[in-house]
Amino acid sequence: MNQKEAVHERLKEYACVAPDQMMQKLQINAEGITQEEAIIRRQKYGNNAPSAKNKDTMFYCIRRAFVNPFSTILFFLGLISLVTDVFLSSDYQKNLTEILIIFSMLILSGIVRLTQELHSKRVADELFQLVHTTVQVLRDGQWVELSSSELVVGDQIRLEAGDRVPADLRLTGATDLFVSQSVITGESAILEKFPESLPKEPQKLTDYSNILFGGTTVAGGTGTGIVLTVGQETVYGGLTPSVEARKQGFDRGANSIAWVLIRFMTVLVPVVFLASGLTKGDWLEAFLFALSVAVGITPELLPMVVNACLAKGSHSMGKKQTIVKKYQCDAEFWKHGCPVCG
């Protein structure tokens, strides 16, 4: 999603409307909204919290640890070995060694990754609980300090130098207000904001001179405004890619290995099957031999080795007061020469 598409329709509409008209349309008075109204508005417009945090559930962590292309290949090869080495073999030829190795490596590598990530997640969640972003909000006619997660659409808030903007809001008043929008636009320039309405809908984020975007920082001055969008409806939330789409270079590299193996087996197994069948005439034996080749070319220990190395790296970084929630982040640190990893 580009920057223009990330701008909510309420921002586009109320940026060109006078503050009095906006308050009238949003059914807000000079005393602010009440606690009862806040509950209703929260149910209607949602919470001021990113939804990506809900993805890191126990089930999602387990799926991420055990379900990936390479593990899927090993799982099916383990099933094939179970059929060929146990069910289709005579009693004296049955061999469980290879089957036990494959499934043991799958389970151990998944457990190592899951244990390390759950530990990091628990520590990160504890730290998150210690960090509270508060903001001054007008509720029931009084200015009170609330957590930014309690904000709803229609809240009137007050900001000053050093504050982080908790949601997208329309300015109703400003005194020498300067804001850094680098977190959204990538530009280092400090922009001055004004409460006056705009003559037409802006084409760029930098043209919204009366809108403060969530995630930006107040560099100087003071200002008051009305919250228009919260949570994932903010520009910052709209620009944040989803967890499923957020693949690091390490993920792409690991998945590419799995797909190379799949393509290689797709070509090699039929060739071996046909060559063995045509030369020996025993097609069942040729089929079993082709499956054995597929199992043989797959490095069963690779997931275990990779996860063990990344777990060691995460543990070493933990000694230096650095939390690695996801393994691929650890790999990216080493790739870019992070000084903490050295």
Side-chain angles (χ1 to χ4, degrees):
M1 182 182 295
N2 58 42
Q3 293 182 354
K4 187 175 180 180
E5 293 175 344
V7 179
H8 197 276
E9 291 299 324
R10 281 196 295 274
L11 298 180
K12 299 177 182 178
E13 176 184 357
Y14 294 127
C16 304
V17 174
D20 293 340
Q21 293 177 305
M22 176 183 61
M23 294 178 68
Q24 185 177 0
K25 288 185 178 181
L26 290 176
Q27 300 179 346
I28 307 170
N29 55 44
E31 301 295 319
I33 64 176
T34 63
Q35 294 294 342
E36 291 75 16
E37 289 176 328
I39 296 175
I40 297 174
R41 289 174 181 268
R42 185 173 293 109
Q43 294 174 345
K44 181 179 181 180
Y45 298 107
N47 296 315
N48 189 35
S51 62
K53 188 176 184 295
N54 298 329
K55 297 291 185 179
D56 285 333
T57 60
M58 175 65 75
F59 174 77
Y60 182 77
C61 291
I62 293 175
R63 183 171 69 87
R64 187 168 58 200
F66 288 95
V67 182
N68 55 71
F70 200 88
S71 297
T72 303
I73 293 176
L74 289 182
F75 177 76
F76 281 107
L77 291 180
L79 293 181
I80 292 173
S81 296
L82 181 64
V83 173
T84 58
D85 294 345
V86 177
F87 298 118
L88 297 181
S89 299
S90 57
D91 292 338
Y92 68 91
Q93 289 182 328
K94 290 182 179 180
N95 186 3
L96 295 175
T97 304
E98 188 170 5
I99 302 171
L100 292 176
I101 291 176
I102 292 176
F103 285 109
S104 297
M105 293 303 101
L106 276 177
I107 295 173
L108 288 176
S109 63
I111 290 176
V112 169
R113 176 170 180 171
L114 179 63
T115 303
Q116 184 66 33
E117 289 197 0
L118 287 179
H119 172 72
S120 300
K121 179 179 181 297
R122 179 181 59 81
V123 176
D125 289 341
E126 291 176 357
L127 290 176
F128 183 80
Q129 295 298 326
L130 297 176
V131 179
H132 298 283
T133 304
T134 59
V135 62
Q136 297 181 61
V137 185
L138 184 61
R139 290 276 180 93
D140 295 313
Q142 294 182 339
W143 287 100
V144 295
E145 195 162 305
L146 298 177
S147 171
S148 60
S149 60
E150 298 183 30
L151 289 179
V152 297
V153 173
D155 266 328
Q156 300 181 54
I157 67 175
R158 185 163 56 193
L159 298 169
E160 56 188 22
D163 288 342
R164 180 179 180 272
V165 182
D168 292 348
L169 57 95
R170 164 71 158 86
L171 284 175
T172 56
T175 304
D176 298 326
L177 183 62
F178 292 88
V179 177
S180 171
Q181 297 184 164
S182 59
V183 69
I184 293 178
T185 63
E187 300 176 359
S188 59
I190 305 297
L191 303 178
E192 186 173 4
K193 297 288 185 175
F194 308 93
E196 288 77 14
S197 58
L198 303 178
K200 61 179 181 179
E201 179 183 320
Q203 299 301 313
K204 300 184 298 182
L205 291 182
T206 53
D207 294 335
Y208 282 89
S209 59
N210 57 4
I211 298 292
L212 297 186
F213 299 108
T216 59
T217 305
V218 179
T222 59
T224 56
I226 296 178
V227 176
L228 295 182
T229 59
V230 295
Q232 292 299 109
E233 290 188 344
T234 62
V235 172
Y236 183 77
L239 291 175
T240 304
S242 63
V243 176
E244 291 81 0
R246 202 181 303 162
K247 284 190 177 290
Q248 304 290 338
F250 177 78
D251 285 324
R252 293 193 297 269
N255 291 344
S256 66
I257 295 175
W259 285 111
V260 167
L261 284 173
I262 291 175
R263 295 188 185 98
F264 192 61
M265 284 187 289
T266 302
V267 176
L268 183 62
V269 170
V271 171
V272 172
F273 172 66
L274 291 175
S276 179
L278 292 174
T279 55
K280 295 185 177 180
D282 190 341
W283 292 99
L284 177 59
E285 183 180 349
F287 177 70
L288 297 178
F289 178 69
L291 294 180
S292 300
V293 171
V295 174
I297 65 175
T298 305
E300 291 88 353
L301 288 175
L302 183 59
M304 183 63 186
V305 172
V306 171
N307 286 337
C309 291
L310 292 178
K312 179 63 170 62
S314 299
H315 181 69
S316 299
M317 294 180 69
K319 294 181 178 180
K320 299 182 179 182
Q321 309 302 315
T322 302
I323 300 173
V324 181
K325 289 185 65 177
K326 298 178 182 178
Y327 272 17
Q328 62 266 34
C329 299
D330 197 356
E332 292 295 317
F333 279 146
W334 284 94
K335 174 182 175 182
H336 296 289
C338 175
V340 179
C341 310

